[in-house]
Amino acid sequence: MPRTAPLAFFAATALALAASACGSAPDDGASISSSSDALSGCHGLASSTQPASGDYYLTSFGFTPSDDGIMSCGEYTKGGSWYYAASRQRFGCGAHIQIEANGKCVVAETDDYGPDVCVENAAGRPIIDASPLVSEHLFGTKSAGWSDRFPIHVTEVDKSTPLGPCTASGGGSSGGGSGSSSGGNGGGAGSNVTCNSGTLGKDVPEGTCVQSKYDSVWYQCTPNGWETPVSNGAGPDGACTSMHPL
């Protein structure tokens, strides 16, 4: 997902104008989580509303030289080498949030402002813009854009909770390399487990292996949702019962 980091002066000016329009300023400092993919209606203003469901889409930032730098809470992205996130306008600077998808879990620290409401409007759901390490752990790719619509479930946790991979609670939204979610129960041959494949546009049974149209990575439908890696006709749940290449 291409990103262009604005100059601090223009970013700060845009945020100040947006804050003036809504009557309250965000925190001091300009955001580097500002990608809009040339969307219209972007004014440097991010939503502070937290969805009751805890469901968001995931995007990533901070892994290219153009947007590596200091975030608006004062921490540096360090080339995307640690577990940070934007959305400080929802949770505050330095909050720890637990992000779940595909039966996996990551804890990240909110240190930047954003993304712009125009990005969330285009995606059709609130967004957590996070370190590429978060996206890589949950979806197997460092690059996550709003149009990928990678679904995640987010809850705020205590600040003492260590950053990085954690144990999933099982209550989160499952995404999957096919841009989809899993459901059902049971396991093994003849189980009722199914996964919804955005690539195929239908539900598929446990054991099915699909090459995702979103990142070209192979995923297997398991009781935990879409998981990877898949190699030599087998994935985390054993041999693929069927394979669907692009």
Side-chain angles (χ1 to χ4, degrees), residues 91-171:
F91 302 99
C93 283
H96 285 198
I97 55 174
Q98 181 169 293
I99 307 172
E100 297 179 67
N102 294 324
K104 301 175 183 178
C105 168
V106 174
V107 175
E109 183 174 292
T110 57
D111 284 302
D112 204 11
Y113 180 83
D116 193 293
V117 289
C118 72
V119 183
E120 296 186 332
N121 289 341
R125 181 186 288 191
I127 288 174
I128 296 294
D129 205 10
S131 162
L133 289 181
V134 174
S135 179
E136 183 176 38
H137 181 74
L138 298 178
F139 295 100
T141 175
K142 290 184 177 182
S143 178
W146 69 263
S147 58
D148 294 320
R149 293 181 171 86
F150 289 144
I152 56 173
H153 185 78
V154 177
T155 52
E156 186 172 2
V157 295
D158 192 87
K159 287 187 178 182
S160 63
T161 307
L163 302 181
C166 54
T167 302
S169 67

Side-chain angles (χ1 to χ4, degrees), residues 211-222:
Q211 187 179 16
S212 169
K213 68 179 181 181
Y214 300 98
D215 58 11
S216 299
V217 174
W218 279 91
Y219 294 84
Q220 184 179 47
C221 175
T222 78

Side-chain angles (χ1 to χ4, degrees), residues 8-146:
F9 172 80
F10 292 106
T13 301
L15 287 177
L17 289 174
S20 175
C22 68
S24 61
D27 297 328
D28 292 336
S31 170
I32 65 170
S33 168
S34 57
S35 174
S36 62
D37 283 2
L39 294 171
S40 61
C42 300
H43 303 290
L45 179 65
S47 172
S48 60
T49 302
Q50 295 185 33
S53 65
D55 293 335
Y56 297 78
Y57 287 135
L58 180 72
T59 60
S60 59
F61 75 102
F63 50 87
T64 63
S66 63
D67 59 6
D68 183 23
I70 188 169
M71 293 178 282
S72 55
C73 290
E75 297 289 343
Y76 284 84
T77 61
K78 299 178 182 178
S81 62
W82 65 289
Y83 297 90
Y84 55 78
S87 211
R88 68 151 196 224
Q89 74 279 0
R90 290 188 168 102
F91 302 99
C93 283
H96 285 198
I97 55 174
Q98 181 169 293
I99 307 172
E100 297 179 67
N102 294 324
K104 301 175 183 178
C105 168
V106 174
V107 175
E109 183 174 292
T110 57
D111 284 302
D112 204 11
Y113 180 83
D116 193 293
V117 289
C118 72
V119 183
E120 296 186 332
N121 289 341
R125 181 186 288 191
I127 288 174
I128 296 294
D129 205 10
S131 162
L133 289 181
V134 174
S135 179
E136 183 176 38
H137 181 74
L138 298 178
F139 295 100
T141 175
K142 290 184 177 182
S143 178
W146 69 263

